[in-house]
Amino acid sequence: MSQTTTSPASLSGKTTDPLQLIDVDHVRFYVGNAKQAAFFYAHCFGFQIEEVSDLTTGSREAATYLLTQGNIRFLLTSGLTAEHPANMEVAIYGDGVKDVAFTVFDAEKAWEKAVSNGAASAQEPRTVSDERGSITTASIRTYGRVVHTFVSRSGQYDLPTVKKGGLFAPRFKKLESIGGAVLSINEHNRRHPCGLKYVDHLVGNVEEGKMNHWVKFYEDVLEFKMFKHFDDADISTEYSALMSKVMASGNNLIKMPINEPAPGKKKSQILEYLEWHNMTPGVQHLALRTDDEISSVAELRRRGVDFLSLPDTYYERVWDRVNTMLTQHGHKAVKEDHTKIKDLGILVDADDEGYLLQLFTKPLQDRPTLFFEIICRRGSQSFGKGNFKALFEALELEQERRGNL
Ligand code: FE2
C-alpha cells in the first residue's frame, strides 16, 4: 500500500507544463522560537533536526531549522529582528503554516504561469547560488496569510541529493556535527522511528461563503481538479457544521481540502479557528502519512502526543459500519488488530475503494489553530467522512473545555 509522492514518470512532462509539481518541497512554519519548536517536533513527532540557517551561517534576519522525516521537510522560521515578517505574523496569528512550497522544474516559469492565470505575486523570482549549486524561488499568495513557493533546484541542491541528506540550500549547515542535545534526540529518533512518510493532504480553513472562490482559484491558477465533495449534510453534528471541497494537483501529488464554516446552533470549529487566527484563512491541519498506523500512533503516544479522544460509543458502532461497507464492495475486512485500534483510540473509515485509519492531534500551539492528522490508507482515497460526526462531537467537547462553544 505504500505510495511515494514523486513519480519518476512525471519527469517526462518537463518541457510541457510549467505548473507540473514534482514534490512538496517543504512546508514552512512561522514560529515564535524556532530553536525550541524544533525540539518539540523532534521529541513529540520523531523528526530529525537536520540543518540550521542562522547568524552562524550568514543569515542576519531569520533563524530557520530544517526538520525531516521520510519525505517530509519542515522549515521552522523565527525572525531575528522586529521587522521580520515572521515576527509580525506570529504576533497576529500565533505559530502556524506560512508556506506550502512545491518543487518544480523551473520556478520562474511556474510563477509566470500562475501569475498569468490570475495569482497575486508574493515574491518575484530570486536565485541563490554557491559553489554547490543554486536554488530559484518565486511565490504566489493563496488564502489568507499562506503562500505557495515554487522551488527549482540545481547542482548538489537538487531534490534527490537533498533527500539523501545533502544540504538543503545555501546558508544552511548540518547540525549533527555540533553534537549535544540535537545529536542525542536525532539518535533517539533513529532508534525509535515514528514512521511518518510524507504529507498526504493539507487542509485550509477559509471564511464563510469563500470556499467556492478558493476552489476556483486552485482550478484557475494551479490547474488543480476537484477531488471529492462533501456537503454540510454529511459533515455536521447537532451544533456545528462545515462545508468542504477537496482540490488535487494534476498528478494527485498533493490534495488540499478547503473548509468553510456552515451555520450551526453552536460555534463551528472552523469559526473557532478563524477567530483565533485574526479572522484570516490559514492551514487547519497537515495529514502525515504512515504505512503502519498502529506502530506510528503507539510511538507518538509514548512520546506524549496529545490526541483527540473519542466518545466511548465510537467503537460500539465502528466495526459494523466499516466492515459492512468493505463487504459490500468486495474488500477484505480491516486487518489491523481491533483491540489495539481501540486501545490507541484510532479512527477507522471505509468507502467503495477500501479503508483508512486516522487520528487527529490536539492543537500544536496554545491557540486552537493548527493540528496534525496521522493517516494510513488501505485502498481508501477519501478523508474519513464517516468519522466526521464522531470527530466533531469530540472536537466540540474540547471547544467547550476552552469556553469557545
Ligand atoms: Fe484530514
Side-chain angles (χ1 to χ4, degrees):
M1 284 313 304
S2 80
Q3 180 186 321
T4 58
T5 48
T6 313
S7 153
S10 67
L11 297 170
S12 61
K14 187 169 183 172
T15 52
T16 53
D17 182 6
L19 288 173
Q20 185 170 356
L21 307 180
I22 299 170
D23 214 329
V24 178
D25 195 88
H26 61 268
V27 178
R28 186 188 296 270
F29 299 64
Y30 276 171
V31 297
N33 186 330
K35 187 172 195 168
Q36 293 188 6
F39 277 88
F40 171 80
Y41 288 105
H43 173 78
C44 293
F45 292 94
F47 283 86
Q48 295 286 310
I49 309 175
E50 290 249 1
E51 298 178 23
V52 67
S53 169
D54 64 1
L55 289 173
T56 67
T57 67
S59 173
R60 308 292 301 172
E61 280 84 39
T64 296
Y65 288 73
L66 170 70
L67 272 63
T68 67
Q69 184 170 178
N71 192 33
I72 307 166
R73 287 166 293 280
F74 288 163
L75 293 180
L76 307 177
T77 296
S78 285
L80 295 173
T81 62
E83 307 76 38
H84 192 278
N87 273 340
M88 297 202 255
E89 292 203 12
V90 166
I92 299 169
Y93 308 114
D95 289 7
V97 170
K98 174 62 189 173
D99 188 354
V100 181
F102 300 119
T103 321
V104 295
F105 294 106
D106 183 330
E108 185 167 355
K109 286 209 174 86
W111 174 86
E112 278 169 1
K113 184 81 187 289
V115 168
S116 79
N117 285 345
S121 173
Q123 181 214 295
E124 300 204 343
R126 182 186 300 162
T127 300
V128 190
S129 308
D130 63 14
E131 66 286 352
R132 302 172 61 85
S134 69
I135 290 191
T136 301
T137 56
S139 309
I140 57 164
R141 297 175 55 94
T142 175
Y143 46 73
R145 49 88 61 107
V146 184
V147 301
H148 289 305
T149 295
F150 301 111
V151 184
S152 52
R153 300 170 161 278
S154 72
Q156 290 173 66
Y157 293 123
D158 72 342
L159 200 58
T161 309
V162 169
K163 284 183 188 180
K164 280 184 235 147
L167 278 180
F168 183 76
R171 290 199 176 152
F172 275 79
K173 72 174 184 191
K174 289 279 170 193
L175 269 170
E176 290 282 21
S177 55
I178 63 171
V182 168
L183 197 66
S184 87
I185 199 161
N186 284 353
E187 180 57 26
H188 178 85
N189 288 341
R190 271 190 287 272
R191 286 169 193 245
H192 306 278
C194 293
L196 306 178
K197 305 273 188 197
Y198 57 89
V199 178
D200 182 274
H201 62 274
L202 192 142
V203 179
N205 284 343
V206 302
E207 310 100 316
E208 190 174 343
K210 286 292 174 65
M211 178 180 67
N212 287 325
H213 167 85
W214 290 108
V215 164
K216 192 167 176 345
F217 172 89
Y218 278 94
E219 285 172 345
D220 292 349
V221 169
L222 289 175
E223 300 168 0
F224 281 27
K225 301 269 184 287
M226 181 108 57
F227 189 71
K228 292 267 179 182
H229 170 230
F230 308 111
D231 64 25
D232 59 345
D234 288 327
I235 309 171
S236 65
T237 67
E238 189 181 350
Y239 296 113
S240 63
L242 63 73
M243 309 237 287
S244 183
K245 288 182 179 174
V246 179
M247 304 309 295
S249 62
N251 49 8
N252 281 340
L253 167 76
I254 184 76
K255 296 183 195 78
M256 301 189 63
I258 298 167
N259 294 335
E260 69 173 7
K265 280 189 203 164
K266 291 193 188 175
K267 187 180 294 177
S268 90
Q269 51 140 332
I270 313 303
L271 187 56
E272 185 198 32
Y273 174 102
L274 291 170
E275 287 183 349
W276 289 98
H277 203 254
N278 200 44
M279 291 312 286
T280 307
V283 173
Q284 179 211 40
H285 75 267
L286 284 177
L288 306 176
R289 180 81 162 260
T290 171
D291 293 334
D292 183 347
E293 185 81 6
I294 286 179
S295 297
S296 288
V297 171
E299 178 59 26
L300 294 167
R301 283 200 182 277
R302 272 194 289 277
R303 289 160 177 264
V305 172
D306 229 356
F307 288 104
L308 277 185
S309 47
L310 296 162
D312 289 344
T313 51
Y314 179 83
Y315 293 96
E316 291 168 22
R317 302 178 205 152
V318 69
W319 300 118
D320 228 23
R321 168 167 67 81
V322 167
N323 286 328
T324 303
M325 173 72 84
L326 291 171
T327 312
Q328 263 173 16
H329 292 92
H331 299 296
K332 286 186 185 143
V334 174
K335 69 176 181 185
E336 283 81 359
D337 187 315
H338 292 196
T339 309
K340 281 187 186 161
I341 287 177
K342 184 181 178 196
D343 290 348
L344 290 166
I346 291 165
L347 297 137
V348 193
D349 197 24
D351 58 25
D352 53 345
E353 295 180 300
Y355 68 95
L356 61 80
L357 306 162
Q358 63 185 168
L359 190 53
F360 300 87
T361 73
K362 291 184 184 177
L364 300 164
Q365 56 291 308
D366 294 303
R367 297 193 198 198
T369 51
L370 178 72
F371 59 89
F372 286 167
E373 170 183 352
I374 309 301
I375 186 168
C376 175
R377 297 185 181 279
R378 305 282 188 222
S380 169
Q381 295 304 314
S382 55
F383 299 86
K385 183 171 72 172
N387 282 323
F388 286 175
K389 186 169 187 297
L391 177 67
F392 275 51
E393 284 165 358
L395 280 170
E396 280 172 356
L397 191 64
E398 291 293 315
Q399 268 180 268
E400 204 162 13
R401 287 180 187 145
R402 292 193 287 262
N404 285 340
L405 200 59

